[in-house]
């Protein structure tokens, strides 16, 4: 493949192109003159332009001059033979080359071309170049058999060099000073004046010696506008003078035709030299005046500079070539902790700073050689041991001769900046740690949406490594369907139309799977307010979306459940007093549903006057307290059906239009179930009373067995004593026998009663202990004594299987829970907890309360009959409970909790434990 051209190729070829175009323009002007007059012009425009171009560019481009001549001949179909064309082209190129080389060899710069000290050499170089050009052209004419016109060619080429070349150089080099618009106007006016005088003297008169008239305006142009004015005015006048010889007017028309053009050329050359010298001297004098003025200004500037350095607010010092202080600012003295009030000007730098590093001498030597040195953050150790950090720079300063006169020291203490930079670097490290370790994806995008930076979380969410994301458009990880809206959002951010972009998007992973994310992007601007980059935060919302879908599904099921359960929605306007109902809510109230509002009077006949009053009070209270509404109503339908409903609502401000929103729930079945529960509870109470009587009978049988046995023994002793007498009384023996029979009969009866109460049969059935516990808790909650008491039920019996009488176990639980509730009657915190757990082949149920607990005296005989801590207690409840638990093969005990309160526990064996036993 071809190598690409360097980007500055045009700058490298521009000088050659300019030289070629200038030479071609001069050649075309020569050709036009020749075509309009029939012979060559008296001035070599092309060679003058060529000399100026070679001086401004490089002499190695001289072949381009010959090419420009040949191209001009080809464009205008010159009648000269090809040989003569080649000689003319080579003559022009070599003549211009010789003149330019002689001028450059002398070391004359293009802007010094008209310097009085160089003008003679310039004329000699022009003569030499003209001779070479004229000789080559004359040789070409001789070769083709044409008459050789050496003198004419010499004068033509020489005049072109001394007139056109300075004009090109003067206007091609920048001026010493910039002209104002007024000066430009004056320049144009003077040039027009010069042209008008020359035209009047040479184009409108014949034979009148008016040629001197052109000198005053030329002198005016040279004195007023120096070299530019001189070269331009002379060029204008020369063209008019030379054109007058063509049309045979002016002072030279009286001369012979063979000498007319030569005389005009000589006149122009003499005029040109005179005016150029005058302009050069005027320019030099003007430059000297400016230099003198500049010197005075420089001295004043140096004085002002010294004063400015002394009064500078920054640390500045000026040293001379011997490294002695010339001037120092007060800040310099303060920063470097030098003695105040003691001048250091005139003292050596190394005398003031004896501990200066040795390499400073080498640095000062380099600065005095022309270099500029600087340092940033060098440590400066003070004599007291403290350290400051300095930003410094050493610059050479020059005198009026542009010679290096010393060193300018500028310094700035950047200790605070270094500390701030350290903190900034520490903050950058912290930012980097947060950026990389953030739990969400963080990225920087260009204004075109290209990834500039990503953290590890982004790579995890997208499935791409970091090197495959950086430099790629974010479209790489998006979906085709969502990309148009994403691109529109990025462009809106870049244009500043929106301050923030936030939306749910889908990421396409490398394996084609989609991952839902939430993207938040905002524009980050640079210090000047221009958009810099886009910061993006990406949050994986897969779990949220899954939960959302589950919630939607749950809501659907909830709506179905509400419809199946007969739950209605209502709204009460607290301003107007009307209400709105859903179809189900209207049905529950026994109303015909419609979209409009309902009044309380529509359901007054179903509520009754008392409930209407209570409902109004509840609504007013909810409005004032801005709290909930919760009440139960008994509705009497038109057909006599009784329906129980509960109203559950909350206060809603609703933009200044307060209202109550809530649900109406049919609880008729719950009320009926509650009635059934109370009936079951009454049955349990009756059973408890029966059990209590059994326990009392068992206790009496146990207690009366011993007295009856003693009576029997005493009767036997009496019979024995009576018989041991000689003449026993048979009536007494008969009475004693009858008493003995009745005592034995009473013992038999007591033994049967005890056997019945102790070894009574237990209804053996599968026991759902969790359900029994919940039923007992519910039963106790319905009691008046349980108001303001929190009863918590926590059952986790696992897969344990129990056999027993559910009704009797429920009686035990109800009694124990009720006792726990009553124990908290005087406690500030009224809580009762019921827990059931499986432990080592048995299920343990614990009923704990937040009451005062049990004393040690009570714990010793707590389960004995007629032992009670309640004022109205019988002392038979706990013995009955213990009897029932033990009848089921379990055990019952009580203890105090470490945190306060009592805890009653009973254990029931599981089926496996019963079988093993």
């Amino acid at each position: 493949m071809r190598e690409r051209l360097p980007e500055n190729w045009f700058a490298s070829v521009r000088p050659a192109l300019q030289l070629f175009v200038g030479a071609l323009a001069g050649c075309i002007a020569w050709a036009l003159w020749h075509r309009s007059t029939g012979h060559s012009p008296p001035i070599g425009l092309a060679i003058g332009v060529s000399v100026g171009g070679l001086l401004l560019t490089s002499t190695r481009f001289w072949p381009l001059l010959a090419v420009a001549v040949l191209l001009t001949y080809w464009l205008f179909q010159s009648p000269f033979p090809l040989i003569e064309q080649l000689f003319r082209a080579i003559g022009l190129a070599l003549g211009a080359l010789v003149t330019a080389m002689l001028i450059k060899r002398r070391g004359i710069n293009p802007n010094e071309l008209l310097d009085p000290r160089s003008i003679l050499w310039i004329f000699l170089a022009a003569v030499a170049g003209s001779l070479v050009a004229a000789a080559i052209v004359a040789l070409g004419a001789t070769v083709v058999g044409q008459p050789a016109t050496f003198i004419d060619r010499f004068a033509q080429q020489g005049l072109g060099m001394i007139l056109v070349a300075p004009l090109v150089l003067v206007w091609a080099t920048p001026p010493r000073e910039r002209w104002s618009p007024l000066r430009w106007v004056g320049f144009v006016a003077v040039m027009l004046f010069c042209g008008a005088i020359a035209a009047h003297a040479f184009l409108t008169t014949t034979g009148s010696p008016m040629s001197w008239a052109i000198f005053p305006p030329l002198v005016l142009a040279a004195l007023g506008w120096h070299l530019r004015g001189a070269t331009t005015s002379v060029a204008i006048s020369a063209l008019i003078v030379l054109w007058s010889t063509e049309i045979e007017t002016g002072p030279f028309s009286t001369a012979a035709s063979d000498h007319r053009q030569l005389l005009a050329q000589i006149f122009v050359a003499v005029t040109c030299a005179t005016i150029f010298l005058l302009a050069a001297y005027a320019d030099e004098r003007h430059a000297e005046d400016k230099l003198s003025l500049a010197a005075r200004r420089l001295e004043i500037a140096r004085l002002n500079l010294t004063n400015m350095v002394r009064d500078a607010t920054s640390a500045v010092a000026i040293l001379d070539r011997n490294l002695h202080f010339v001037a120092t600012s007060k800040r310099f003295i303060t920063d470097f902790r030098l003695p105040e009030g003691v001048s250091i000007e005139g003292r050596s730098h190394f005398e003031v700073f004896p501990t200066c590093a040795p390499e400073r001498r080498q640095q000062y030597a380099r600065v005095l050689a022309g270099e500029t040195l600087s340092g940033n953050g060098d440590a400066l150790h003070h004599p007291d041991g403290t350290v400051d950090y300095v930003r410094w720079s050493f610059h050479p300063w020059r005198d009026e001769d542009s010679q290096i006169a010393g060193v300018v020291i500028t310094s700035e203490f950047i200790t605070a900046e270094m500390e701030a930079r350290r903190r900034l670097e520490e903050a950058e490290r912290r930012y980097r740690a947060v950026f990389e370790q953030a739990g969400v994806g963080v990225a920087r995008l260009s204004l075109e949406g290209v990834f500039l930076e990503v953290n590890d979380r982004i790579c995890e969410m997208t499935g791409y490594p970091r090197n495959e994301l950086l430099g790629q458009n974010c479209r790489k990880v998006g979906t085709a369907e969502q990309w148009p809206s994403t691109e529109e959002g990025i462009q809106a951010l870049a244009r500043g139309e929106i301050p923030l972009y936030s939306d749910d998007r889908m990421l396409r992973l490398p394996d084609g799977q989609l991952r839902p994310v939430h993207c938040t992007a905002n524009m980050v601007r640079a210090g000047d307010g221009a958009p810099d980059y886009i910061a993006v935060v990406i949050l994986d919302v897969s779990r949220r979306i899954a939960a959302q879908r589950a919630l939607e599904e749950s809501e659907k099921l909830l709506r179905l459940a509400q419809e199946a359960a007969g739950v209605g929605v209502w709204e009460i306007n607290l301003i107007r007093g009307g209400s709105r109902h859903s179809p189900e809510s209207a049905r529950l109230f026994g109303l015909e549903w419609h979209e409009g509002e309902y009044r309380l009077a529509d359901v007054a006949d179903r509520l009754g006057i008392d409930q209407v009053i209570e409902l109004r009070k509840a609504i007013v209270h909810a409005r004032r307290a801005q709290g909930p509404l919760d009440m139960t109503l008994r509705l009497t339908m038109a057909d006599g059906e009784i329906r129980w409903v509960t109203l559950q609502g909350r206060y809603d401000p609703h933009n200044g239009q307060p209202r109550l929103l809530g649900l109406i729930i049919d609880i008729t079945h719950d009320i009926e179930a509650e009635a059934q529960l109370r009936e079951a509870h009454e049955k349990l109470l009756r059973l408890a009373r029966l059990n209590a009587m059994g326990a009392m009978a068992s206790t009496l049988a146990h207690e009366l067995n011993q007295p009856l046995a003693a009576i029997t023994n005493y009767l036997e002793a009496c019979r024995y004593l009576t018989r041991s007498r000689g003449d026993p009384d048979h009536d007494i023996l008969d009475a004693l026998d009858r008493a003995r029979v009745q005592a034995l009969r009473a013992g038999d009866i007591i033994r049967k009663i005890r056997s019945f109460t102790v070894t009574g049969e237990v209804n053996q059935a599968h026991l759902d202990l969790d359900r029994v516990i919940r039923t007992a808790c519910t039963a106790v909650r319905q009691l008046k004594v349980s108001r303001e008491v929190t009863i918590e039920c926590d059952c986790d019996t696992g897969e344990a299987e129990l056999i027993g009488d559910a009704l009797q176990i429920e009686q035990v639980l109800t009694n124990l829970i009720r006792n726990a509730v009553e124990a908290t009657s005087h406690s500030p915190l009224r809580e009762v907890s019921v827990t059931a757990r499986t432990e080592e082949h048995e299920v343990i149920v614990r009923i704990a309360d937040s009451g005062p607990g049990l004393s040690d005296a009570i714990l010793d005989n707590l389960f004995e009959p007629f032992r009670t801590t309640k004022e109205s207690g019988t002392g038979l409840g706990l013995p009955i409970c213990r009897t029932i638990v033990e009848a089921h093969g379990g055990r019952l005990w009580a203890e105090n909790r470490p945190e306060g309160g009592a805890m009653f526990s009973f254990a029931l064996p599981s089926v496996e434990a019963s079988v093993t036993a």
Side-chain angles (χ1 to χ4, degrees):
M1 296 178 63
R2 295 186 304 171
E3 295 183 357
R4 296 179 58 184
L5 293 174
E7 295 182 358
N8 58 348
W9 67 272
F10 181 75
S12 61
V13 302
R14 184 169 57 185
L17 183 61
Q18 291 175 343
L19 174 63
F20 177 76
V21 172
L24 182 62
C27 294
I28 291 175
W30 177 89
L32 292 174
W33 186 299
H34 186 275
R35 175 169 290 185
S36 61
T37 61
H39 51 81
S40 299
I43 183 172
L45 297 175
I47 197 169
V49 173
S50 300
V51 171
L54 291 176
L55 290 174
L56 289 173
T57 58
S58 175
T59 55
R60 69 177 183 273
F61 297 145
W62 68 269
L64 295 175
L65 305 178
V67 175
V69 174
L70 295 176
L71 181 60
T72 304
Y73 284 142
W74 177 77
L75 290 174
F76 289 90
Q77 297 180 358
S78 174
F80 299 117
L82 180 59
I83 296 300
E84 188 173 0
Q85 293 179 16
L86 292 173
F87 272 92
R88 285 173 177 268
I90 295 174
L92 182 141
L94 292 179
L97 176 63
V98 169
T99 302
M101 290 182 64
L102 290 175
I103 293 174
K104 286 191 173 185
R105 183 176 292 273
R106 186 71 175 180
I108 300 173
N109 297 324
N111 55 357
E112 299 174 351
L113 192 64
L114 298 181
D115 186 78
R117 294 181 294 272
S118 305
I119 194 85
L120 179 60
W121 180 260
I122 302 300
F123 273 98
L124 292 177
V127 169
S130 301
L131 288 175
V132 172
I136 295 175
V137 173
L139 178 61
T142 304
V143 171
V144 298
Q146 297 291 333
T149 54
F150 176 78
I151 298 300
D152 293 340
R153 294 297 177 188
F154 172 73
Q156 178 190 34
Q157 305 296 349
L159 187 60
M161 291 183 187
I162 65 173
L163 181 62
V164 179
L167 180 67
V168 172
L169 293 173
V170 167
W171 285 97
T173 55
R176 292 181 178 178
E177 60 183 6
R178 191 173 182 179
W179 288 0
S180 64
L182 183 62
R183 188 165 177 80
W184 275 106
V185 172
F187 173 77
V188 173
V190 170
M191 295 304 105
L192 293 175
F193 180 61
C194 291
I197 296 298
H200 177 73
F202 287 90
L203 298 180
T204 59
T205 60
T206 304
S208 177
M210 291 291 293
S211 59
W212 58 270
I214 67 173
F215 282 96
L218 292 179
V219 172
L220 176 63
L223 294 177
W225 285 268
H226 307 301
L227 295 179
R228 284 192 172 185
T231 55
T232 306
S233 61
V234 168
I236 294 173
S237 301
L239 289 176
I240 295 175
V241 170
L242 296 175
W243 181 253
S244 68
T245 60
E246 295 292 334
I247 61 177
E248 298 181 356
T249 60
F252 298 110
S253 61
T254 59
S257 58
D258 296 341
H259 301 88
R260 185 182 304 153
Q261 185 174 355
L262 181 60
L263 289 175
Q265 291 172 337
I266 295 174
F267 176 77
V268 169
V270 173
T271 302
C272 179
T274 303
I275 298 302
F276 283 177
L277 283 173
L278 180 63
Y281 277 109
D283 188 68
E284 185 176 6
R285 181 63 180 174
H286 180 68
E288 290 176 356
D289 292 342
K290 291 182 66 177
L291 185 62
S292 177
L293 179 62
R296 290 196 299 274
R297 290 177 177 175
L298 180 62
E299 185 63 27
I300 294 174
R302 290 182 62 181
L303 181 60
N304 292 335
L305 178 62
T306 303
N307 294 331
M308 182 184 69
V309 168
R310 292 193 181 102
D311 298 334
T313 57
S314 58
V316 182
I318 299 179
L319 307 178
D320 59 15
R321 289 194 62 86
N322 297 322
L323 301 181
H324 288 74
F325 284 98
V326 176
T328 57
S329 66
K330 296 178 181 179
R331 181 65 178 273
F332 186 88
I333 300 295
T334 303
D335 284 354
F336 287 93
R337 304 182 185 181
L338 298 175
E340 296 185 3
V342 179
S343 176
I344 64 171
E345 296 179 2
R347 298 173 60 186
S348 171
H349 177 275
F350 300 100
E351 179 186 353
V352 176
F353 298 101
T355 60
C356 185
E359 58 267 17
R360 277 284 188 254
R361 294 183 181 274
Q362 300 176 0
Q363 292 174 348
Y364 287 138
R366 292 169 58 186
V367 174
L368 292 174
E371 291 188 46
T372 297
L373 303 179
S374 62
N376 190 12
D378 289 0
L380 175 64
H381 298 272
H382 296 289
D384 59 0
T386 59
V387 179
D388 278 319
Y389 295 92
V390 185
R391 179 188 293 121
W392 56 269
S393 62
F394 298 159
H395 298 267
W397 64 278
R398 299 177 184 274
D399 56 15
E400 58 274 12
D401 297 328
S402 297
Q403 300 296 321
I404 296 177
V407 180
V408 176
I409 302 175
T410 59
S411 62
E412 178 185 3
F413 278 47
I414 58 171
T415 305
E417 180 181 336
M418 293 288 288
E419 181 63 21
R421 184 183 303 173
R422 185 191 64 77
R423 291 196 296 267
L424 179 61
E425 291 174 353
E426 182 64 25
E428 175 68 18
R429 285 193 294 269
R430 289 197 297 268
Y431 156 75
R432 232 347 106 190
V434 172
F435 180 84
E436 292 298 339
Q437 301 173 15
V440 296
V442 184
R444 291 195 304 117
L445 298 181
S446 69
L447 302 183
E448 293 77 24
V450 176
F451 283 111
L452 301 177
E453 189 176 9
V454 296
N455 68 348
D456 292 339
R457 184 62 178 146
I458 287 279
C459 299
E460 293 175 7
M461 285 192 290
T462 60
Y464 289 96
R466 193 187 302 265
N467 58 350
E468 293 187 16
L469 287 178
L470 296 181
Q472 298 293 324
N473 195 284
C474 61
R475 185 173 188 174
K476 178 183 181 70
V477 298
T479 61
E481 297 78 9
Q482 294 180 344
W483 172 246
S485 61
T486 303
E487 185 179 27
E488 182 179 352
I490 293 175
Q491 293 175 356
L493 274 176
R495 293 191 299 266
E497 297 176 357
I498 56 175
L500 182 71
Y501 175 80
S502 180
D503 200 359
D504 288 338
R505 301 280 91 181
M506 297 297 292
L507 294 180
R508 184 176 295 278
L509 306 183
D511 58 1
Q513 296 184 11
L514 299 179
R515 172 173 291 168
V517 296
H518 183 79
C519 296
T520 302
N522 66 291
M523 177 63 63
V524 178
R525 300 184 178 275
D528 57 357
D532 192 2
Y533 63 88
I534 298 174
V536 179
V537 176
I538 301 178
L539 177 64
D540 188 350
V541 294
S542 303
R543 295 183 179 178
R544 191 195 75 183
I545 296 298
Q548 217 167 16
R549 291 174 181 170
L551 179 60
E552 292 174 357
E553 187 65 24
S554 176
E555 288 178 349
K556 291 179 182 179
L557 296 176
L558 179 60
R559 285 194 295 271
L560 292 175
Q562 288 176 348
E563 293 175 1
V567 178
V569 180
W570 51 265
E571 171 190 344
I572 299 176
N573 191 309
L574 297 178
I575 301 296
R576 296 191 301 271
S579 61
R580 293 179 179 272
H581 294 269
S582 67
E584 186 65 20
S585 176
R587 185 191 68 79
L588 291 175
F589 275 109
L591 301 174
E592 184 178 353
W593 182 80
H594 58 80
E595 288 287 350
E597 289 189 346
Y598 296 85
R599 311 302 298 181
L600 188 57
D602 297 335
V603 295
D605 58 339
R606 294 166 177 78
L607 293 174
I609 187 64
D610 294 336
Q611 289 192 120
V612 169
I613 295 173
E614 291 180 5
L615 181 57
R616 290 184 185 275
K617 290 181 179 179
I619 293 174
V620 172
H621 180 268
R623 178 180 181 179
R624 290 177 179 175
Q626 297 185 2
L629 173 67
D630 189 355
M631 66 182 305
T632 301
L633 299 176
R634 181 178 184 273
L635 302 176
T636 304
M637 299 291 104
D639 57 359
E641 177 190 359
I642 303 299
R643 180 179 295 165
W644 291 86
V645 296
T646 179
L647 300 182
Q648 297 179 1
R650 62 177 177 84
Y651 178 85
D652 181 19
H654 192 55
N655 299 325
Q657 299 291 326
R659 60 182 180 176
L660 288 176
L661 293 175
L663 301 176
I664 177 172
I665 305 173
D666 188 353
I667 61 170
T668 304
H669 297 295
D670 295 340
I671 296 297
E672 294 175 353
E674 186 176 354
Q676 295 174 1
L677 180 62
R678 284 197 298 272
E679 184 179 354
H681 182 62
E682 292 175 357
K683 292 179 180 179
L684 284 175
L685 291 178
R686 288 195 298 271
L687 180 61
R689 286 194 291 270
L690 292 175
N691 287 334
M693 293 301 295
M696 185 173 63
S698 176
T699 302
L700 290 174
H702 176 74
E703 296 297 329
L704 294 176
N705 264 335
Q706 291 180 359
L708 289 175
I711 291 172
T712 303
N713 291 334
Y714 282 125
L715 290 173
E716 287 290 338
C718 288
R719 286 181 75 248
Y720 177 77
L721 291 175
T722 302
R723 286 180 176 179
S724 63
R725 291 178 181 177
D727 186 13
D729 189 347
H730 293 284
D731 292 332
I732 295 173
L733 292 174
D734 183 54
L736 291 175
D737 287 337
R738 284 196 297 268
R740 176 177 173 275
V741 169
Q742 293 299 323
L744 292 175
R745 182 167 175 258
D748 291 338
I749 293 171
I750 291 173
R751 281 194 297 274
K752 289 180 181 180
I753 294 174
R754 183 184 180 190
S755 176
F756 175 77
T757 56
V758 175
T759 63
E761 295 182 356
V762 176
N763 184 16
Q764 298 293 332
H766 177 73
L767 179 61
D768 186 357
L769 184 59
D770 292 353
R771 182 174 179 276
V772 171
I773 293 175
R774 288 194 296 270
T775 302
C777 291
T778 304
V780 177
R781 288 192 186 102
Q782 300 297 325
L783 300 177
K784 184 177 180 180
V785 72
S786 300
R787 293 180 182 178
E788 301 180 356
V789 179
T790 301
I791 301 177
E792 297 182 354
C793 182
D794 182 11
C795 302
D796 185 15
T797 58
E799 298 180 357
E801 293 185 11
L802 299 175
I803 297 297
D805 192 334
L807 200 60
Q808 291 185 6
I809 297 301
E810 184 178 347
Q811 175 191 355
V812 173
L813 285 166
T814 303
N815 194 17
L816 294 178
I817 295 173
R818 182 168 181 170
N819 287 345
V821 168
E822 292 174 350
T824 62
S825 58
H826 299 291
S827 298
L829 181 63
R830 304 192 65 188
E831 291 182 351
V832 175
S833 64
V834 182
T835 60
R837 296 289 186 272
T838 301
E839 297 180 6
E840 297 181 356
H841 305 295
E842 63 181 3
V843 176
I844 299 179
V845 181
R846 295 181 175 90
I847 298 92
D849 61 66
S850 58
L854 301 170
S855 65
D856 295 337
I858 293 296
L859 282 174
D860 293 337
N861 52 13
L862 183 62
F863 294 97
E864 292 182 6
F866 309 110
R867 297 287 183 177
T868 180
T869 60
K870 295 185 288 186
E871 295 179 357
S872 59
T874 63
L876 296 175
L878 290 179
I880 293 173
C881 293
R882 191 169 196 174
T883 300
I884 294 174
V885 172
E886 289 177 350
H888 283 76
R891 64 188 189 280
L892 173 63
W893 69 94
E895 59 187 344
N896 285 321
R897 297 194 302 166
E899 61 269 26
M903 182 170 64
F904 285 80
S905 307
F906 67 88
L908 296 177
S910 61
V911 174
E912 296 83 0
S914 300
V915 173
T916 303

